[in-house]
Amino acid sequence: MAQYFAPPEGLRQKVSVFSIKSNSQSGNTETVKMLEDPSGKETREVLKLWCFDLSYMSRSWQFMTLTALTFAFYLIYGYMQELIFKLEGFQPFGWYLTLVQFAYYTVFGVAELQLKEDKKRKIPMSMYLLLAFLTVATMGLSNTSVGYLNYPTQVIFKCCKLIPVLIGGILIQGKKFSLIDITACLCMSVGLILFTLADSSVSPNFNTYGVVLISLALCADGAIGNVQEKTLKQYGASNGEMVLYSYGIGFVYILVGLVVSGSLMPAFYFCQEHPVETYGYAVIFSITGYLGLYIVLTMVKSFGALVAVTVTTCRKAVTIVLSFVFFSKPFTFQYLWSGLVVVLGIYLNLYSKNKTSWDAHIAGLLHKYGLLKRKRALEPENIV
């Protein structure tokens, strides 16, 4: 809806033009455009997280708030995931844990949908079949790999999700990336290889089958971020709708797979013998994972898949440190410097996305400490 006001005759100052675009399909975002001067437009996106309106914040504060919440929920999520797999005999039942997790997510999605006025599905079911498959592959393979790998190795693989995200961005959305982004991916790849070699030499839990599982999960993870971003923007669906249908259909996929493979009942009987260590911990695991997922989807919708991946990658680096602190495991300094190579790749990617502001800040620091001389302007008398 746009409304224009004619300025009184003789008044030179431009009158504000307010253009408010409300997308009835989206449910969480609106766009408010304000033209205050002839030079350009200012756009403000209304950002809501559950019942909280974050639109009064600047974009920087919105980003920092979402980042802090992502760290908080996913650090608890990672701790509970490793704690569950520390239970003797649980290692083969990663897919059953994923089934329980998807069941909780579906219940949460249904409850959230009941609170919304618009309950109509926006995204086609065919798209949800694809999203559900990618979600199952990402989380199921990732959960299962924990039973065969040292947890920090599983996490360091997930830190390199940026690699398939970049490839997926090129193939799925036709994006172009800079040489710095490509260098960042190479650093991550080298660091990943070195970290895996270190783990294979010192960890008694190392298993190449786990490497295959987490690599497949990594590929699915890279694809799903781009598909989610493209789908959310194209159809304007809410995060709650995407979670409900993706995980609801994914629950059916996993259930059918477990029944066909004959793995359902052994896992059920095992968990029945250890209800607190399995179902009890899985409640906390699922709640924190669901809240973290919702925040990440909000970040994808507001800031893009690449920014969201960068934030979750940094969170995983903290998770690795906490894993060594809370759970005893063999350590070698090769973990440290190969992990630093991955971190270098992360910071190269961050620099690529903030090159202009970072260059200005770095130049200011160099000038401040006298490491870079300012260019002297030519005086008129020195010009020949």
Side-chain angles (χ1 to χ4, degrees):
M1 180 180 66
Q3 190 173 6
Y4 299 91
F5 300 89
E9 187 176 353
L11 185 63
R12 293 185 179 181
Q13 184 180 0
K14 284 204 114 179
V15 178
S16 300
V17 179
F18 299 91
S19 173
I20 302 176
K21 180 183 176 184
S22 178
N23 188 345
S24 61
Q25 292 181 337
S26 178
N28 337 9
T29 58
E30 295 175 351
T31 303
V32 182
K33 295 181 180 178
M34 296 171 285
L35 310 187
E36 297 293 344
D37 57 76
S39 61
K41 300 180 180 181
E42 179 185 353
T43 304
R44 179 171 63 87
E45 182 180 355
V46 176
L47 177 65
K48 293 183 179 179
L49 186 65
W50 300 301
C51 59
F52 302 101
D53 188 356
L54 306 182
S55 57
Y56 67 92
M57 297 180 175
S58 66
R59 290 288 285 172
S60 297
W61 276 104
Q62 288 176 358
F63 174 75
M64 286 189 285
T65 301
L66 294 176
T67 299
L69 291 173
T70 300
F71 269 68
F73 288 125
Y74 270 119
L75 287 177
I76 299 173
Y77 173 88
Y79 177 82
M80 297 308 300
Q81 185 183 37
E82 186 168 8
L83 189 62
I84 291 171
F85 277 94
K86 286 294 180 182
L87 177 64
E88 182 90 23
F90 188 79
Q91 284 75 15
F93 304 132
W95 280 106
Y96 186 77
L97 175 64
T98 309
L99 179 73
V100 173
Q101 184 180 8
F102 274 51
Y104 281 123
Y105 281 22
T106 304
V107 171
F108 298 152
V110 170
E112 183 183 346
L113 194 63
Q114 300 309 309
L115 301 176
K116 293 184 177 293
E117 295 182 2
D118 185 9
K119 299 180 175 62
K120 184 179 178 181
R121 175 170 52 85
K122 307 296 190 307
I123 300 175
M125 188 58 68
S126 58
M127 184 61 69
Y128 275 128
L129 293 175
L130 172 61
L131 282 168
F133 175 79
L134 292 173
T135 305
V136 167
T138 299
M139 300 188 67
L141 293 170
S142 179
N143 285 341
T144 305
S145 69
V146 179
Y148 301 94
L149 286 177
N150 201 1
Y151 189 75
T153 304
Q154 188 251 20
V155 174
I156 203 73
F157 264 89
K158 294 176 74 174
C159 281
C160 297
K161 183 169 70 173
L162 189 62
I163 301 170
V165 165
L166 289 176
I167 297 173
I170 295 170
L171 298 179
I172 297 173
Q173 301 194 64
K175 292 183 176 180
K176 293 183 179 180
F177 298 98
S178 67
L179 180 61
I180 299 177
D181 289 321
I182 296 172
T183 305
C185 285
L186 291 175
C187 287
M188 290 182 180
S189 301
V190 171
L192 186 61
I193 293 170
L194 295 174
F195 198 97
T196 305
L197 291 174
D199 194 40
S200 64
S201 64
V202 300
S203 176
N205 298 326
F206 184 82
N207 191 316
T208 53
Y209 179 60
V211 174
V212 173
L213 290 176
I214 194 61
S215 297
L216 293 174
L218 188 65
C219 294
D221 216 359
I224 195 172
N226 287 284
V227 174
Q228 283 176 340
E229 180 182 4
K230 186 176 181 179
T231 304
L232 285 171
K233 289 180 178 179
Q234 181 177 353
Y235 296 100
S238 66
N239 295 340
E241 178 195 321
M242 176 165 283
V243 170
L244 171 60
Y245 285 95
S246 297
Y247 286 89
I249 298 171
F251 174 84
V252 176
Y253 284 168
I254 300 172
L255 182 62
V256 171
L258 289 175
V259 170
V260 171
S261 65
S263 304
L264 179 63
M265 297 314 296
F268 175 76
Y269 290 136
F270 178 87
C271 293
Q272 204 172 26
E273 296 175 0
H274 308 86
V276 176
E277 296 87 347
T278 54
Y279 295 118
Y281 292 167
V283 172
I284 303 173
F285 172 69
S286 300
I287 290 175
T288 53
Y290 178 81
L291 295 176
L293 172 68
Y294 193 96
I295 294 167
V296 169
L297 283 175
T298 302
M299 189 175 291
V300 168
K301 198 169 187 177
S302 299
F303 295 93
L306 203 58
V307 172
V309 168
T310 303
V311 170
T312 55
T313 298
C314 293
R315 185 272 305 172
K316 292 183 182 79
V318 178
T319 302
I320 291 174
V321 175
L322 294 180
S323 178
F324 280 106
V325 171
F326 290 111
F327 300 97
S328 60
K329 49 178 63 71
F331 177 79
T332 174
F333 277 101
Q334 190 173 338
Y335 280 147
L336 181 61
W337 61 264
S338 57
L340 289 175
V341 175
V342 175
V343 171
L344 174 61
I346 295 171
Y347 274 93
L348 281 174
N349 176 253
L350 287 172
Y351 172 72
S352 172
K353 303 308 163 199
N354 303 274
K355 190 174 185 302
T356 303
S357 59
W358 282 33
D359 283 346
H361 182 68
I362 292 170
L365 289 175
L366 293 176
H367 284 307
K368 180 179 178 180
Y369 294 103
L371 299 176
L372 182 66
K373 294 182 178 180
R374 296 183 183 275
K375 294 182 179 179
R376 297 180 61 184
L378 290 175
E379 298 297 336
E381 60 271 18
N382 293 330
I383 299 176
V384 179

